[in-house]
Amino acid sequence: MSRLVAAADLEGTLAEIETEILKAPAEALKLAKRCIDRGVELDPKGALETEIAAIEEQLAAGSWMGRK
């Protein structure tokens, strides 16, 4: 997600984003990084397939609900 913020609000906005990232399960962050790393090397269809595979992996693991 992209957004514009006033210079005066930048530090607060960064702190909010940091807080949200730190709440994410480690496995979800690992999969997101994998999608980014692989996605830049692929065409849009291949990148989408990588993202779908990561979503399916998360759903199968149940970690999106805080389960392992």
Side-chain angles (χ1 to χ4, degrees):
M1 176 173 80
S2 298
R3 64 181 125 168
L4 295 174
V5 297
D9 298 332
L10 182 59
E11 291 300 320
T13 301
L14 290 173
E16 290 172 15
I17 293 169
E18 177 184 26
T19 299
E20 289 304 310
I21 290 171
L22 292 173
K23 288 180 186 176
E27 185 64 22
L29 293 174
K30 182 177 112 181
L31 290 172
K33 185 177 181 322
R34 183 176 75 192
C35 288
I36 293 166
D37 290 346
R38 290 183 184 170
V40 297
E41 300 170 352
L42 301 170
D43 63 6
K45 183 178 178 185
L48 179 60
E49 289 171 357
T50 299
E51 289 183 26
I52 291 170
I55 291 167
E56 290 173 346
E57 193 172 328
Q58 280 291 115
L59 291 173
S63 58
W64 62 277
M65 293 180 62
R67 298 180 299 181
K68 295 265 179 187

